[in-house]
Amino acid sequence: MKMRDYSINTKCVQGGYTPKNGEPRQIPIIQSTTFKYDTSEDMGKLFDLEASGYFYTRLQNPTNDYVAAKIAELEGGTAAMLTSSGQAANFFALFNICEAGSHIVSSSSIYGGTFNLISVTMAKMGVEATFVSPDCTEEELNAAFKENTRAVFGETIANPALTVLDIEKFAKAAHAHGVPLVVDNTFPTPINCRPFEWGADIVTHSTTKYMDGHGAAVGGAIVDSGKFDWMAHADKFPGLCTPDESYHGITYAEKFGKEGAFITKATAQLMRDFGCIQSPQNAFILNLGLESLHVRMPRHVENGLAVAEFLSTCDDVESVNYPGLETDKYHEIAKKYLPNGGCGVVSFVIKGGRTAAEAFMKKLKVAAIETHVADARTCCLNPATSTHRQMTDEQLAEAGIPAGLVRISCGLEDKEDLIADLRQALS
């Protein structure tokens, strides 16, 4: 059997790297900035993309590629790359097919840092964006597209609003307009959702979260489904479908096909110029997390559901967002895309607003106040005063993040201890 034929559990443990006779059993850390060659001709073949190999870690590194290959296998993609962070992954995934004058359609319910990336930073680069509600109708979604639209973006489970993206609806609209759907799959991970199976074309991850799972290494990943036909829409994607004069006149879509063009361009062009490479040491740590991902995610879901159910019974809690709750707005769509549960993150609004939320968090003993999420250890924060503080009250409301909202990420502790901690803090 080939690795792609094994279950996702086995892929977590053994995907991406198969040692040969006498080679290291664990993925080796190639902690070197550069690589030696016998002749200039040998190295020249690498620069011309005529041969595979490594010459400078700013572009590629063997350790990183082993781990990227595992993530590609987990998602069911054809190619992948690691980046220095999830933010870098989202930027690369979008900018790889956008340029000054391009337009993006995005769900409005996304992580605040990504919202800022698209609405502010990329706008300064000449890339416009239209944000739509994840609950929009097909007609409203299609109305957001323009002649210069080049990508659609959304999060499988939004951070921290916990809205669930209707992947098929967004994919249908994207493909009707000849552009790919890019989905950030950080919260469910491929253990609980595989967006390619629902029509997504590119998947991104902040590997800093559940994939690492221990708050040890910042990183990101991009995976290509290998299904989007770039040449069929060559007029929209000249960067992939016409010669790249900055890289020896290569036309990526012709030379590497649907399966490899996107990641090759992102590596040869964007990683070359921006240099947002993940360190080999971090990639090694990430792989250790991936080896237990399939074991950890069910526990995170179990704890998240238990905490959400408890909070929904508390008089001091105004509302609870968790797709696993039968009363949640997104429960039905979650059953479709997340039949095994989504993640361990719960968001809820305490009566009394921001002041009450801050007082509650100060009293927690097990859960720590951190600008982090999806960790083995339970942590929480008030997004309005931390991760989303750059957003106005109107933008917060549009993104489904009231000022008094608390996001708690349930770790791997005993669920009864987590509930007891919440109970004493609320009291």
Side-chain angles (χ1 to χ4, degrees):
M1 290 175 65
K2 294 183 178 180
M3 185 55 64
R4 66 172 178 265
D5 299 320
Y6 286 100
S7 76
I8 198 166
N9 299 343
T10 302
K11 292 174 183 175
C12 280
V13 180
Q14 296 206 23
Y17 171 71
T18 303
K20 298 182 177 64
N21 188 45
E23 291 185 340
R25 185 64 190 89
Q26 180 56 278
I27 287 177
I29 304 171
I30 309 300
Q31 194 66 46
S32 179
T33 61
T34 190
F35 301 81
K36 173 188 175 294
Y37 287 90
D38 292 335
T39 69
S40 295
E41 287 80 6
D42 289 338
M43 184 175 284
K45 292 177 182 177
L46 300 177
F47 277 93
D48 290 341
L49 300 180
E50 296 293 340
S52 61
Y54 304 91
F55 50 85
Y56 198 55
T57 283
R58 190 182 80 229
L59 280 87
Q60 285 178 291
N61 178 281
T63 306
N64 292 21
D65 282 357
Y66 291 137
V67 182
K70 174 179 284 191
I71 295 173
E73 289 170 352
L74 293 175
E75 284 287 6
T78 58
M81 67 188 295
L82 299 187
T83 61
S84 57
S85 68
Q87 278 290 81
N90 282 331
F91 173 62
F92 275 25
L94 293 171
F95 200 63
N96 203 35
I97 48 179
C98 293
E99 58 187 27
S102 296
H103 174 257
I104 295 168
V105 174
S106 174
S107 167
S108 61
S109 187
I110 56 176
Y111 167 57
T114 310
F115 185 93
N116 196 72
L117 167 69
I118 296 172
S119 65
V120 178
T121 303
M122 293 188 72
K124 293 178 181 178
M125 304 170 78
V127 179
E128 293 182 305
T130 298
F131 292 91
V132 297
S133 167
D135 307 326
C136 65
T137 64
E138 289 189 17
E139 291 74 20
E140 290 169 335
L141 178 55
N142 281 296
F145 285 80
K146 299 182 179 181
E147 184 65 29
N148 58 336
T149 301
R150 296 295 177 262
V152 179
F153 180 82
E155 294 179 3
T156 317
I157 302 177
N159 176 15
L162 300 182
T163 54
V164 179
L165 187 73
D166 189 339
I167 302 173
E168 284 192 317
K169 179 177 73 175
F170 276 72
K172 178 182 176 182
H175 298 159
H177 292 86
V179 301
L181 172 61
V182 181
V183 173
D184 185 326
N185 197 34
T186 295
F187 269 10
T189 80
I191 301 301
N192 288 336
C193 184
R194 286 155 56 94
F196 292 155
E197 296 176 359
W198 300 101
D201 301 289
I202 307 293
V203 160
T204 62
H205 286 276
S206 170
T207 63
T208 316
K209 309 305 189 296
Y210 286 121
M211 283 187 165
D212 170 342
H214 302 86
V218 174
I222 309 171
V223 188
D224 183 8
S225 68
K227 296 178 181 178
F228 192 84
D229 191 343
W230 305 105
M231 290 302 290
H233 309 282
D235 58 318
K236 294 181 182 290
F237 306 105
L240 282 159
C241 302
T242 59
D244 179 4
E245 299 305 331
S246 76
Y247 216 101
H248 319 293
I250 285 174
T251 300
Y252 297 101
E254 288 182 353
K255 187 172 181 63
F256 300 101
K258 293 188 294 182
E259 296 77 15
F262 186 88
I263 295 297
T264 303
K265 177 180 180 292
T267 301
Q269 193 182 86
L270 299 188
M271 193 62 82
R272 174 198 66 192
D273 293 345
F274 291 102
C276 303
I277 193 75
Q278 187 170 147
S279 78
Q281 183 70 51
N282 278 17
F284 177 84
I285 294 171
L286 165 59
N287 186 62
L288 295 179
L290 290 171
E291 288 178 352
S292 65
L293 183 62
H294 61 299
V295 179
R296 292 184 285 107
M297 287 307 296
R299 181 59 174 266
H300 284 296
V301 170
E302 177 187 348
N303 285 357
L305 181 58
V307 163
E309 288 175 340
F310 165 73
L311 289 169
S312 65
T313 66
C314 296
D315 293 336
D316 294 324
V317 175
E318 185 176 305
S319 61
V320 181
N321 299 321
Y322 187 74
L325 288 175
E326 292 186 4
T327 56
D328 190 86
K329 177 180 179 180
Y330 295 95
H331 184 65
E332 287 303 314
I333 195 170
K335 287 198 297 184
K336 173 181 177 179
Y337 294 115
L338 309 160
N340 298 319
C343 62
V345 182
V346 181
S347 63
F348 60 102
V349 180
I350 296 179
K351 293 177 182 177
R354 191 177 312 210
T355 302
E358 290 181 330
F360 159 77
M361 292 196 298
K362 286 179 182 178
K363 293 170 67 177
L364 290 168
K365 301 184 186 311
V366 176
I369 300 174
E370 300 177 19
T371 309
H372 193 42
V373 69
D375 196 322
R377 295 160 293 267
T378 296
C379 52
C380 69
L381 56 72
N382 172 231
T385 57
S386 55
T387 55
H388 291 63
R389 65 184 301 129
Q390 77 278 6
M391 296 173 69
T392 65
D393 285 350
E394 290 76 17
Q395 289 172 331
L396 285 169
E398 185 179 1
I401 310 167
L405 182 139
V406 173
R407 181 189 71 187
I408 183 165
S409 173
C410 301
L412 302 178
E413 304 92 347
D414 189 284
K415 60 187 176 184
E416 296 303 328
D417 290 335
L418 297 181
I419 291 172
D421 191 33
L422 293 171
R423 182 181 289 112
Q424 65 82 23
L426 286 168
S427 68

